[in-house]
Amino acid sequence: MKTTTLYRPVGPKELALIEASDWKAFPPRLPEQPIFYPVMNEEYAIQIARDWNVPASGSGYVTRFEVETEFLTRYQEQVVGGAMHRELWVPAEELEEFNKHIVGQIKVTQSFGAIQKPKMT
């Protein structure tokens, strides 16, 4: 099975919910969050975690995860700024199905503003 590597910048609350899933799923979106947007490259995820999550919540994390490539064909890549600002827009109501196509565990690759990186099990 072919997989695609995606990244997701998160704050501490979302990270705690990911950890509670045993590092296998992203939590449901809040009512004011109609889209789940994984990003296509780590550089963009770092920019969001460092520049948006840290000021908003005191810390930001970059997560990396693999998703079945065939499943991802249903989502069109969106460019939301410069060439590196590429992401997928997953409707909130499809996030549970999206999570079923994650292969392996979600991993933290970078942390910003936090005292220490969370432990992975």
Side-chain angles (χ1 to χ4, degrees):
M1 167 186 13
K2 186 175 179 188
T3 63
T4 299
T5 302
L6 296 174
Y7 301 87
R8 170 88 180 147
V10 300
K13 290 180 182 177
E14 189 171 356
L15 186 67
L17 295 171
I18 294 166
E19 183 178 16
S21 78
D22 199 25
W23 304 98
K24 293 179 191 270
F26 290 94
R29 308 314 299 149
L30 299 174
E32 66 273 11
Q33 299 171 320
I35 303 276
F36 172 76
Y37 62 95
V39 302
M40 309 298 290
N41 63 75
E42 191 171 31
E43 182 181 7
Y44 180 30
I46 288 169
Q47 184 181 49
I48 296 170
R50 183 190 59 222
D51 299 347
W52 298 353
N53 293 112
V54 172
S57 60
S59 59
Y61 305 89
V62 174
T63 62
R64 182 183 69 224
F65 56 101
E66 301 289 325
V67 180
E68 296 170 12
T69 300
E70 185 175 327
F71 174 77
L72 291 178
T73 61
R74 66 177 65 191
Y75 304 108
Q76 184 174 358
E77 189 176 305
Q78 306 291 324
V79 178
V80 294
M84 84 163 188
H85 300 113
R86 299 177 358 228
E87 56 193 40
L88 298 177
W89 292 356
V90 178
E93 61 272 13
E94 295 179 24
L95 182 55
E96 187 176 344
E97 183 67 21
F98 180 93
N99 283 331
K100 292 176 184 176
H101 294 274
I102 293 174
V103 177
Q105 290 189 309
I106 299 165
K107 297 179 176 18
V108 175
T109 63
Q110 304 275 339
S111 62
F112 301 93
I115 295 172
Q116 69 180 48
K117 189 174 174 178
K119 294 180 182 175
M120 301 267 314
T121 55

PDB file of all heavy atoms in Angstrom, residues 18-30:
ATOM      1  N   ILE A  18      -4.736  13.951  20.613  1.00  0.00           N
ATOM      2  CA  ILE A  18      -4.066  12.983  19.738  1.00  0.00           C
ATOM      3  C   ILE A  18      -3.401  11.906  20.592  1.00  0.00           C
ATOM      4  O   ILE A  18      -3.508  10.715  20.313  1.00  0.00           O
ATOM      5  CB  ILE A  18      -3.044  13.687  18.822  1.00  0.00           C
ATOM      6  CG1 ILE A  18      -3.751  14.621  17.840  1.00  0.00           C
ATOM      7  CG2 ILE A  18      -2.187  12.660  18.071  1.00  0.00           C
ATOM      8  CD1 ILE A  18      -2.832  15.594  17.124  1.00  0.00           C
ATOM      9  N   GLU A  19      -2.720  12.337  21.652  1.00  0.00           N
ATOM     10  CA  GLU A  19      -2.083  11.377  22.555  1.00  0.00           C
ATOM     11  C   GLU A  19      -3.120  10.442  23.177  1.00  0.00           C
ATOM     12  O   GLU A  19      -2.895   9.235  23.291  1.00  0.00           O
ATOM     13  CB  GLU A  19      -1.314  12.119  23.650  1.00  0.00           C
ATOM     14  CG  GLU A  19      -0.578  11.185  24.585  1.00  0.00           C
ATOM     15  CD  GLU A  19       0.232  11.918  25.637  1.00  0.00           C
ATOM     16  OE1 GLU A  19       0.018  13.121  25.860  1.00  0.00           O
ATOM     17  OE2 GLU A  19       1.097  11.255  26.252  1.00  0.00           O
ATOM     18  N   ALA A  20      -4.289  10.976  23.543  1.00  0.00           N
ATOM     19  CA  ALA A  20      -5.356  10.158  24.134  1.00  0.00           C
ATOM     20  C   ALA A  20      -5.864   9.103  23.157  1.00  0.00           C
ATOM     21  O   ALA A  20      -6.411   8.077  23.575  1.00  0.00           O
ATOM     22  CB  ALA A  20      -6.498  11.051  24.606  1.00  0.00           C
ATOM     23  N   SER A  21      -5.681   9.330  21.856  1.00  0.00           N
ATOM     24  CA  SER A  21      -6.096   8.341  20.846  1.00  0.00           C
ATOM     25  C   SER A  21      -5.009   7.296  20.620  1.00  0.00           C
ATOM     26  O   SER A  21      -5.108   6.517  19.672  1.00  0.00           O
ATOM     27  CB  SER A  21      -6.401   9.040  19.513  1.00  0.00           C
ATOM     28  OG  SER A  21      -5.200   9.356  18.817  1.00  0.00           O
ATOM     29  N   ASP A  22      -3.986   7.305  21.453  1.00  0.00           N
ATOM     30  CA  ASP A  22      -2.821   6.429  21.287  1.00  0.00           C
ATOM     31  C   ASP A  22      -2.067   6.784  20.006  1.00  0.00           C
ATOM     32  O   ASP A  22      -1.546   5.908  19.323  1.00  0.00           O
ATOM     33  CB  ASP A  22      -3.230   4.957  21.309  1.00  0.00           C
ATOM     34  CG  ASP A  22      -2.056   4.031  21.592  1.00  0.00           C
ATOM     35  OD1 ASP A  22      -1.073   4.459  22.216  1.00  0.00           O
ATOM     36  OD2 ASP A  22      -2.126   2.861  21.155  1.00  0.00           O
ATOM     37  N   TRP A  23      -2.058   8.083  19.676  1.00  0.00           N
ATOM     38  CA  TRP A  23      -1.318   8.614  18.529  1.00  0.00           C
ATOM     39  C   TRP A  23      -1.828   8.069  17.194  1.00  0.00           C
ATOM     40  O   TRP A  23      -1.078   7.913  16.250  1.00  0.00           O
ATOM     41  CB  TRP A  23       0.186   8.381  18.675  1.00  0.00           C
ATOM     42  CG  TRP A  23       0.727   8.953  19.954  1.00  0.00           C
ATOM     43  CD1 TRP A  23       0.960   8.270  21.116  1.00  0.00           C
ATOM     44  CD2 TRP A  23       1.087  10.313  20.218  1.00  0.00           C
ATOM     45  NE1 TRP A  23       1.439   9.122  22.087  1.00  0.00           N
ATOM     46  CE2 TRP A  23       1.536  10.390  21.555  1.00  0.00           C
ATOM     47  CE3 TRP A  23       1.072  11.481  19.450  1.00  0.00           C
ATOM     48  CZ2 TRP A  23       1.965  11.580  22.138  1.00  0.00           C
ATOM     49  CZ3 TRP A  23       1.500  12.658  20.024  1.00  0.00           C
ATOM     50  CH2 TRP A  23       1.936  12.706  21.353  1.00  0.00           C
ATOM     51  N   LYS A  24      -3.153   7.800  17.119  1.00  0.00           N
ATOM     52  CA  LYS A  24      -3.694   7.193  15.902  1.00  0.00           C
ATOM     53  C   LYS A  24      -4.765   8.027  15.214  1.00  0.00           C
ATOM     54  O   LYS A  24      -5.204   7.665  14.119  1.00  0.00           O
ATOM     55  CB  LYS A  24      -4.272   5.815  16.227  1.00  0.00           C
ATOM     56  CG  LYS A  24      -3.204   4.830  16.640  1.00  0.00           C
ATOM     57  CD  LYS A  24      -3.816   3.480  16.966  1.00  0.00           C
ATOM     58  CE  LYS A  24      -2.815   2.578  17.616  1.00  0.00           C
ATOM     59  NZ  LYS A  24      -2.064   1.778  16.735  1.00  0.00           N
ATOM     60  N   ALA A  25      -5.219   9.136  15.820  1.00  0.00           N
ATOM     61  CA  ALA A  25      -6.326   9.887  15.223  1.00  0.00           C
ATOM     62  C   ALA A  25      -6.295  11.355  15.650  1.00  0.00           C
ATOM     63  O   ALA A  25      -5.804  11.686  16.727  1.00  0.00           O
ATOM     64  CB  ALA A  25      -7.654   9.271  15.638  1.00  0.00           C
ATOM     65  N   PHE A  26      -6.852  12.182  14.788  1.00  0.00           N
ATOM     66  CA  PHE A  26      -7.036  13.584  15.103  1.00  0.00           C
ATOM     67  C   PHE A  26      -8.426  13.766  15.688  1.00  0.00           C
ATOM     68  O   PHE A  26      -9.374  13.078  15.277  1.00  0.00           O
ATOM     69  CB  PHE A  26      -6.849  14.436  13.846  1.00  0.00           C
ATOM     70  CG  PHE A  26      -5.420  14.468  13.396  1.00  0.00           C
ATOM     71  CD1 PHE A  26      -4.960  13.576  12.448  1.00  0.00           C
ATOM     72  CD2 PHE A  26      -4.519  15.358  13.959  1.00  0.00           C
ATOM     73  CE1 PHE A  26      -3.626  13.581  12.044  1.00  0.00           C
ATOM     74  CE2 PHE A  26      -3.187  15.373  13.568  1.00  0.00           C
ATOM     75  CZ  PHE A  26      -2.735  14.482  12.618  1.00  0.00           C
ATOM     76  N   PRO A  27      -8.586  14.671  16.648  1.00  0.00           N
ATOM     77  CA  PRO A  27      -9.889  14.836  17.302  1.00  0.00           C
ATOM     78  C   PRO A  27     -10.903  15.509  16.380  1.00  0.00           C
ATOM     79  O   PRO A  27     -10.534  16.221  15.439  1.00  0.00           O
ATOM     80  CB  PRO A  27      -9.562  15.740  18.498  1.00  0.00           C
ATOM     81  CG  PRO A  27      -8.355  16.502  18.087  1.00  0.00           C
ATOM     82  CD  PRO A  27      -7.565  15.561  17.204  1.00  0.00           C
ATOM     83  N   PRO A  28     -12.193  15.313  16.671  1.00  0.00           N
ATOM     84  CA  PRO A  28     -13.236  15.980  15.880  1.00  0.00           C
ATOM     85  C   PRO A  28     -13.032  17.494  15.905  1.00  0.00           C
ATOM     86  O   PRO A  28     -12.495  18.048  16.869  1.00  0.00           O
ATOM     87  CB  PRO A  28     -14.532  15.595  16.594  1.00  0.00           C
ATOM     88  CG  PRO A  28     -14.182  14.390  17.403  1.00  0.00           C
ATOM     89  CD  PRO A  28     -12.734  14.518  17.751  1.00  0.00           C
ATOM     90  N   ARG A  29     -13.458  18.134  14.846  1.00  0.00           N
ATOM     91  CA  ARG A  29     -13.355  19.586  14.763  1.00  0.00           C
ATOM     92  C   ARG A  29     -14.395  20.227  15.669  1.00  0.00           C
ATOM     93  O   ARG A  29     -15.451  19.631  15.944  1.00  0.00           O
ATOM     94  CB  ARG A  29     -13.581  20.068  13.318  1.00  0.00           C
ATOM     95  CG  ARG A  29     -12.726  19.400  12.252  1.00  0.00           C
ATOM     96  CD  ARG A  29     -11.253  19.257  12.575  1.00  0.00           C
ATOM     97  NE  ARG A  29     -10.596  20.550  12.774  1.00  0.00           N
ATOM     98  CZ  ARG A  29      -9.560  20.729  13.593  1.00  0.00           C
ATOM     99  NH1 ARG A  29      -9.076  19.741  14.290  1.00  0.00           N
ATOM    100  NH2 ARG A  29      -9.025  21.906  13.716  1.00  0.00           N
ATOM    101  N   LEU A  30     -14.112  21.431  16.113  1.00  0.00           N
ATOM    102  CA  LEU A  30     -15.076  22.210  16.886  1.00  0.00           C
ATOM    103  C   LEU A  30     -16.119  22.785  15.920  1.00  0.00           C
ATOM    104  O   LEU A  30     -15.865  22.870  14.709  1.00  0.00           O
ATOM    105  CB  LEU A  30     -14.348  23.331  17.623  1.00  0.00           C
ATOM    106  CG  LEU A  30     -13.291  22.869  18.632  1.00  0.00           C
ATOM    107  CD1 LEU A  30     -12.522  24.064  19.191  1.00  0.00           C
ATOM    108  CD2 LEU A  30     -13.926  22.062  19.754  1.00  0.00           C
TER     109      LEU A  30
END
